[in-house]
Amino acid sequence: MVYLLITFFLFVCHFTGFPLDKAVEYAKLRNPLLLNDLNMQYFIQDRREVYRILKEEGIDLPRYGVLNRDPDNPEECNLVEGEDHVEVNGEVFPKPFVEKPVCAEDHNVYIYYPSSAGGGSQRLFRK
């Protein structure tokens, strides 16, 4: 007797425009062998959540600050730029300093330069 075994694999890597909701529904319907956790894809789109998970797992992280630009919480929106440093909610970070949006889908990344490198800031270009 010969048996034919067919296994379906589903590997999802989220990117702009990817129908993650459809992939989750497909996984529920077809029950493929998942190589990664589909529901975790929702969480890792938020940089704060990624840092929380890494910290929870005991993985060393670079020093970082979270600047909440929510106008309803102005006490969490305190950014002061000096000549050679950026101060986020009272914590001082020397320049060069990289500012990334919370959402991993948002690629508006800025680099702040010290006065010794000409000062100012520049938005990174992404195709």
Side-chain angles (χ1 to χ4, degrees):
M1 200 176 257
V2 177
Y3 293 95
L4 178 61
L5 177 63
I6 298 175
T7 305
F8 291 98
F9 290 90
L10 180 62
F11 179 78
V12 175
C13 193
H14 183 77
F15 55 88
T16 303
F18 182 81
L20 184 56
D21 293 334
K22 285 185 179 182
V24 169
E25 289 303 314
Y26 175 84
K28 287 178 186 174
L29 180 65
R30 301 289 180 207
N31 198 26
L33 177 62
L34 294 172
L35 299 179
N36 57 350
D37 185 343
L38 286 180
N39 290 316
M40 189 57 82
Q41 297 290 319
Y42 291 108
F43 291 105
I44 64 174
Q45 292 177 38
D46 184 328
R47 293 182 202 280
R48 294 169 298 191
E49 189 65 18
V50 170
Y51 275 42
R52 184 193 64 76
I53 293 167
L54 292 172
K55 193 174 187 178
E56 218 172 67
E57 295 298 322
I59 297 170
D60 289 335
L61 297 168
R63 195 166 68 97
Y64 69 95
V66 176
L67 179 66
N68 186 355
R69 294 188 187 264
D70 182 358
D72 294 335
N73 296 319
E75 67 278 356
E76 295 177 7
C77 185
N78 190 5
L79 176 81
V80 178
E81 184 177 359
E83 278 191 34
D84 294 324
H85 71 277
V86 174
E87 189 176 325
V88 178
N89 297 324
E91 190 170 353
V92 177
F93 295 90
K95 290 181 180 178
F97 176 78
V98 178
E99 178 185 4
K100 294 181 177 183
V102 167
C103 178
E105 292 293 310
D106 185 348
H107 300 289
N108 290 310
V109 175
Y110 289 86
I111 301 176
Y112 296 85
Y113 295 99
S115 56
S116 62
S121 65
Q122 182 176 5
R123 181 177 176 263
L124 289 183
F125 175 75
R126 183 174 187 269
K127 289 185 177 183

